[in-house]
Amino acid sequence: MLVLATSIGNTRRLIVGLGQSGLLLGPVRRGFVEPGARMRGELRPLLICHYGRLLWQRGMIAGCCGNLSTRAHDRSAIYITPRSVNKSRLHVRDIPKLALDAGDDELTRVSIEFPLHRASYLADDQIGAVIHTHAPALTALGMKDLELADVLPEAALALGTIKRVPHHPAGSQVLADGVAEAVTAGASLILLEHHGVVSVGCDLPEAYDRMAVSYTH
């Protein structure tokens, strides 16, 4: 019995270690590492936690800045990062689920950029995830009269359509409308003047890859 207990304990520590390092995503991790993620639908919040940590580790977000979201299974709601929370310390229980038509009184806990995320999903039904970061190099491009296609041609080739949105106040509807227009035009990466960058994709892995490709080339 002692040997069996030791074996189980070691296995659990291995699973927890893999989960915390981001190497294990699936039913085993949900059962051992994130006890709150008991239902299949909650895999999406777990992915938000995972990619939030990756963005923080790679220096694309810092402190409480940046925000991520992904469509819920029913497509009429999204999971989105909460307001004023460090993305390297997110837990499944922190990630709220909101209907796309949520009223203003429901938005106090979620990212101030909820309008931007909502507008992106409404602009293209194929969009399944949205990421907004303040990645330094990409933010600098948004502050200068420079085009990513000229500065990083290989990244531009991999990303396809890239659009630029003029500066507007954070969380404003006019900023959201500008991003929606870019998404409608087929942009996968949107430079926000003086305000970072937005990537969109069919899911979080694709949105993250597009952000990473543009940042690391």
Side-chain angles (χ1 to χ4, degrees), residues 148-162 188 213-214 217:
L148 184 63
D150 297 330
V151 178
L152 300 171
E154 291 184 4
L157 183 64
L159 289 165
T161 303
I162 301 167
S188 60
V213 163
S214 63
H217 267 68

Side-chain angles (χ1 to χ4, degrees), residues 2 7 25 28 33 39 42 62 80 87 149 155 180 184 190 207:
L2 179 60
S7 175
L25 289 173
V28 176
V33 183
M39 296 182 295
E42 292 191 3
I80 186 168
K87 307 309 177 293
T184 300
I190 304 111

Side-chain angles (χ1 to χ4, degrees), residues 49-70:
C49 297
H50 174 69
Y51 285 106
R53 292 184 186 113
L54 281 182
L55 291 166
W56 184 86
Q57 289 167 358
R58 299 191 66 175
M60 288 185 269
I61 56 178
C64 297
C65 72
N67 35 83
L68 304 80
S69 71
T70 185

Side-chain angles (χ1 to χ4, degrees), residues 85-159:
V85 174
N86 187 304
K87 307 309 177 293
S88 70
R89 297 193 292 268
L90 286 171
H91 297 281
V92 166
R93 62 179 177 272
D94 299 328
I95 311 301
K97 178 183 178 181
L98 264 71
L100 285 173
D101 60 359
D104 292 343
D105 59 327
E106 301 176 73
L107 306 183
T108 55
R109 291 194 308 113
V110 303
S111 169
I112 191 175
E113 296 295 359
F114 179 85
L116 180 156
H117 289 255
R118 170 166 53 193
S120 300
Y121 292 116
L122 295 178
D124 184 350
D125 191 56
Q126 299 304 307
I127 298 299
V130 179
I131 297 176
H132 171 219
T133 77
H134 295 173
L138 297 174
T139 300
L141 283 177
M143 297 173 65
K144 301 290 185 179
D145 189 21
L146 298 171
E147 296 298 331
L148 184 63
D150 297 330
V151 178
L152 300 171
E154 291 184 4
L157 183 64
L159 289 165

